[in-house]
Amino acid sequence: MDRFRWAERHDGLITTDIARTSGQTKRQLAADRASGRTRSVRRGVAVVNGTPPTWRQAVRAVLLSCGDHVAASHWTALPLLGSDSVSYIDCIHVIADLPRRVALEGVVAHRSGLIEKGDVVIRDGMRCTSPLRTVIDLSGSMSPYELGKVVDDLLRRKLLQLDELRDRVGRTRPAPGRSVATLRKVLAHRLPGYDPGESELEARIVRIIDAHALPQPAHQHRVSYGRRRYRIDFAWPDRKLYLEGNGFGSHVLATDLDSDARRQNELVLDGWVPIEITWRMSDTEIATTIRRFLALSIKRL
């Protein structure tokens, strides 16, 4: 295997083992470094000069250096799982079993006495904790609200099942860096049948309605006008009241905006009253706004 072709598929990185597999001797490897063709970035790992440095490259270099018994975890696992719930952080988090110690600069190493089957998955050729295990591991460093956002994101993308999380939490014991209490609080707000919505804002609206004991709306309510069928995020059909939030989805096409305008026109002409909500509104303002519209709708009936 040609080491440079291998590097093209691995963020510009080459391991000593791959270089030797391609026929390179120690002297040739040293010559590559001396000529500036490659440079060492981690023990046993070099990068082809000219390859732009990236966060993903840094994570891969750590994992290649540590070997097959270490996986990216905690805050580092989230971006690898495709989550944008948190921003990238400077330190790289990894996890290994108890006997294995990892000591690398810029790396936070965690050790666990129990890594279950399925706790480690592969993402872009890198070992990474599974969505379920990542939630468990982050419970000690996130508030219930923050961890709930992560859980909702994973639920939306069908990377996590609430029943699976509930079962795992039921047999999880407190340990350093882990909070069973936080996990239980997250589950307490996500009973069987819970819908995380199509966006973070939509999930937030659900939590606000529950927290303020407001009348429960129909979620993803469908209406039809002739051949046109529309879906409403939140609706109180008996009051002809519905709620829309700026930020529920992204409108990248003019046709998206056209469809929204047609839907609102049809609904208003049919006697529906819209409630507009934005992400920047506080929870109290959102709850108060919904309550006022609900009270007004009673007077209209």
Side-chain angles (χ1 to χ4, degrees), residues 176-193:
R178 179 189 306 159
S179 172
V180 176
T182 295
L183 290 164
R184 287 174 178 165
K185 287 178 182 177
V186 169
L187 288 172
H189 287 87
R190 290 161 179 81
L191 300 176

Side-chain angles (χ1 to χ4, degrees), residues 8 24 28 30 34 84 98 130 141 162 174 179 184 187 197 201 249:
E8 287 177 0
Q24 294 294 104
Q28 289 171 318
D84 58 1
L98 283 177
S130 68
S141 54
L162 272 180
S179 172
R184 287 174 178 165
L187 288 172
L201 176 56

